[in-house]
């Protein structure tokens, strides 16, 4: 039977004379020796096998050894490694920039593959005239590939996960930014809606969000009690690094310089949208950074997403005033929806498909929980989505909201891409109002979802994730994932399934006709 031993290797630093070494589990070792050699003095096993001096030869000084790897008594590697110091730690330069360059290249490669896959799927679906969102298809494809690899070659699945870790962390760090553009241009979308109708719509959106949250959350808890599934600890999710002062000052410099450039030469980069892009993007990023640094009690009522949108609108207002072009023109340049002439909002929204695809990695990491709680997930999503569609139609009819407006806000709890596909199945729907309603619903959820779920005693991460995604789609998911990454897998699966089931439900003629009958 093999026993654990301590092996040392050369190092540039020495240990103190009075320091003591206490061996505890896990023990520090490099390799294992047969039990037959255990009769040798401990000091004779402090040398690597290849470095043992011949009898009578000079001993290797202990000051030239370092600990290499930590293992337990079974030879398994421990997580508590002792990092060695670099050769130039005490003096002289070290190539500390090289790993950073490799990290940047790794991020670029992994993120570029996800972006490329999203673009390819969009083009393929457009060429085939498929209205179903390509990103959701990509998410389930990636998840399926990971599951197959995990069954056939688990090491390959883990290697693939490790390769895309930089991209998923990058997306998680900036996730709320990608949902902000629709909120920034909200003043343009709601301008033609009468005040009375606007109040009714707000009542439906806020009340409907709370009702959908309760239905999804309590359904998940009720089903769990019926099937009697017990909670098991979720896999730890890596939290993104906080923003640094260097990043803050860098984006501030970009904002100031490009703002001045746009004032001096409004079409310096070819078009007004391209010229405004740098400072509007910088304003959006700065607003998110500043909002993320607010105290926790402030963020409960003033979420970083609101601060982010407010900063972008303030920058648009300032530029419109000084350039005398008006705020509306600047907001039109912020989100042009023209690929040949993109604005800052178009760049940010270009990541939405990649965000959805990246959710597959979070789902896979928590695959045991998703499989274990499939009953809660699917039942909650189906019930909450059906409730959301029909309750919106019923309340709209009850408060006397115009049928066109009611139809437009039916998919209020479904992400923008799928919501626009759903309302295209109804005649006379206002797609701009649909996008605005979805954004407002998501904003309400992002701002209040955690506090409301705490009040409702929804402490289960499964219920919190499903309830958030089923009631506030992407914006709610982005807000919850920032503080509760353990709920992100359930947010991701519920986020996708809500959109899928809502689209399938509204594509059924009988369901569509029943909704129209209620509205009219």
């Amino acid at each position: 039977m093999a026993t654990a031993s301590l092996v040392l290797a050369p190092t540039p630093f020495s240990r103190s004379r009075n320091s003591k070494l206490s061996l505890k589990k896990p023990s520090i070792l490099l390799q294992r020796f047969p039990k037959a050699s255990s009769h040798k003095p401990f000091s004779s096993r402090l040398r690597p096998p290849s470095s043992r001096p011949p009898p009578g030869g000079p001993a290797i000084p202990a000051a030239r050894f370092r600990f290499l790897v930590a293992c337990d008594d079974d030879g398994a590697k421990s997580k508590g490694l002792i990092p060695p110091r670099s050769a130039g730690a005490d003096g002289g330069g070290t190539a500390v920039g090289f790993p950073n360059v490799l990290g940047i290249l790794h991020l670029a490669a992994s993120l570029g593959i996800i972006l490329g896959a999203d673009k390819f799927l969009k083009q393929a679906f457009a060429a085939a005239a498929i209205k179903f969102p390509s990103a959701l298809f990509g998410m389930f494809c990636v998840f399926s590939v990971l599951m197959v690899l995990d069954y056939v070659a688990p090491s390959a699945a883990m290697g693939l996960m490790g390769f895309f870790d930089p991209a998923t962390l990058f997306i998680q760090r900036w996730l709320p930014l990608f949902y902000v553009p629709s909120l920034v241009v909200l003043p343009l979308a709601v301008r033609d809606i009468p005040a009375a109708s606007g109040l009714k719509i707000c009542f439906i959106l806020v009340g409907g969000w709370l009702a959908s949250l309760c239905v999804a959350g309590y359904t998940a808890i009720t089903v769990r009690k019926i099937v009697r599934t017990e909670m098991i600890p979720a896999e730890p999710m890596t939290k993104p690094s906080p923003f640094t002062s260097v990043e803050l000052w860098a984006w501030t410099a970009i904002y100031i310089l490009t703002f001045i450039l746009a004032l001096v030469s409004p079409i310096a980069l070819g078009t007004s949208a391209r010229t405004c892009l740098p400072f509007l993007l910088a304003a959006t990023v700065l607003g998110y950074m500043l909002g993320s640094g607010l105290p926790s009690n402030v963020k409960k009522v003033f979420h970083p997403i609101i601060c982010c949108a407010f900063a972008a609108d303030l920058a648009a207002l300032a530029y419109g005033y000084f350039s005398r072009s008006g705020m509306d023109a600047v907001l039109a340049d912020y989100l042009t929806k023209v690929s040949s002439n993109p604005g800052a909002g178009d760049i940010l929204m270009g990541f939405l498909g990649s965000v959805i695809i990246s959710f597959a990695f979070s789902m896979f990491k928590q695959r045991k929980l998703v499989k274990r709680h499939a009953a809660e997930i699917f039942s909650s999503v189906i019930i909450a989505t059906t409730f959301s569609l029909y309750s919106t139609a019923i309340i709209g009819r009850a408060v006397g909201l115009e049928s066109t407006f009611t139809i437009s806000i039916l998919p209020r709890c479904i992400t923008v891409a799928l919501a626009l596909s759903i309302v295209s199945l109804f005649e006379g729907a206002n797609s701009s109002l649909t996008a605005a309603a979805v954004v407002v619903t998501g904003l309400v959820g992002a701002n209040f979802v955690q506090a409301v779920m705490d009040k409702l005693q929804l402490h289960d991460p499964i219920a919190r994730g499903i309830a958030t995604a089923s009631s506030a789609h992407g914006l709610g998911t982005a807000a919850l994932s920032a503080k509760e990454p353990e709920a992100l897998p359930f947010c991701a699966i519920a986020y996708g399934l809500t959109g899928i089931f809502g689209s399938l439900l509204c594509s059924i003629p009988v369901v569509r006709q029943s909704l129209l009958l209620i509205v009219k």
Side-chain angles (χ1 to χ4, degrees), residues 8-350:
L8 300 176
T11 187
F13 60 87
S14 60
R15 299 172 56 192
S16 173
R17 178 181 301 178
N18 297 324
S19 62
K20 295 182 180 180
L21 176 64
S22 60
L23 294 177
K24 298 180 180 179
K25 295 182 180 181
S27 306
I28 299 174
L29 57 92
L30 178 61
Q31 68 181 64
R32 304 167 66 178
F33 296 98
K35 188 175 181 180
S37 63
S38 61
H39 66 278
K40 296 181 180 181
F42 179 75
S43 59
S44 67
R45 285 182 273 140
L46 291 178
R47 306 184 184 93
S50 60
S51 303
R52 291 177 181 172
I60 300 176
R64 297 183 60 201
F65 291 98
R66 65 174 176 177
F67 301 123
L68 288 185
V69 65
C71 300
D72 56 20
D73 288 342
D74 295 327
K77 291 184 178 181
S78 169
K79 296 180 181 179
L81 303 182
I82 303 176
R85 295 172 62 183
S86 63
D90 294 325
T94 58
V96 295
F98 187 65
N100 293 335
V101 172
L102 289 180
I104 293 173
L105 292 177
H106 190 180
L107 171 61
S110 57
L111 186 60
I113 291 175
I114 296 178
L115 289 170
D118 176 47
K119 185 176 181 181
F120 171 78
L121 288 174
K122 285 180 180 178
Q123 294 176 347
F125 273 53
I130 300 176
K131 291 186 177 181
F132 187 81
S134 59
L136 283 177
F137 175 79
M139 181 185 76
F140 285 105
C141 284
V142 173
F143 180 73
S144 300
V145 169
L146 288 171
M147 291 297 294
V148 171
L149 284 178
D150 185 54
Y151 180 78
V152 177
S155 59
M158 293 299 103
L160 192 62
M161 285 285 294
F163 176 78
F164 285 102
D165 268 347
T168 55
L169 284 176
F170 174 87
I171 291 174
Q172 184 181 347
R173 192 182 193 222
W174 298 103
L175 187 58
L177 277 181
F178 309 137
Y179 293 96
V180 166
S182 296
L183 183 59
V184 174
V185 298
L186 189 61
L188 297 180
V190 300
R191 179 157 298 170
D192 297 330
I193 299 177
S197 299
L199 290 175
K200 294 177 182 178
I201 291 173
C202 289
F203 170 77
I204 295 174
L205 296 181
V206 176
W209 165 78
L210 180 59
S212 297
L213 179 73
C214 295
V215 169
Y218 286 120
T219 299
I221 293 177
T222 302
V223 173
R224 238 186 77 196
K225 290 180 179 178
I226 295 174
V227 299
R228 297 182 179 180
T229 54
E230 296 181 1
M231 275 295 298
I232 59 176
E235 291 293 328
M237 302 290 290
T238 306
K239 291 187 177 182
S241 58
F243 299 111
T244 64
S245 58
V246 175
E247 292 176 298
L248 183 64
W249 285 111
W251 281 106
T252 302
I254 293 173
Y255 172 75
I256 295 174
L257 293 176
T258 55
F259 187 89
I260 295 174
L261 174 64
L263 286 177
V264 173
S265 179
I267 55 172
L269 301 181
T271 64
S272 59
R274 293 176 183 173
T275 306
C276 292
L277 190 155
F279 80 83
L280 288 176
L281 179 62
T284 308
V285 173
L286 284 172
Y288 178 56
M289 287 182 173
L290 294 174
S292 300
L294 294 174
S296 299
N297 56 344
V298 176
K299 286 192 285 189
K300 289 182 179 180
V301 295
F302 191 68
H303 194 272
I305 292 178
I306 300 179
C307 185
C308 182
F310 180 75
D313 283 331
L314 189 62
L317 178 64
Y319 181 77
Y321 175 78
F322 288 111
S323 65
R324 297 184 180 181
S325 59
M327 182 179 178
D328 289 356
V330 182
L331 290 180
D333 287 336
Y334 183 87
L335 188 62
T336 64
K337 298 182 180 180
V338 179
S339 58
S340 60
N341 185 35
D346 299 284
I347 299 297
L348 294 174
M349 292 192 72

Side-chain angles (χ1 to χ4, degrees), residues 475-497:
L475 276 173
T477 298
L480 189 69
S481 65
K483 287 187 175 182
E484 302 179 24
E486 67 277 2
L488 180 57
F490 303 104
C491 281
I493 189 68
Y495 171 72
L497 289 177

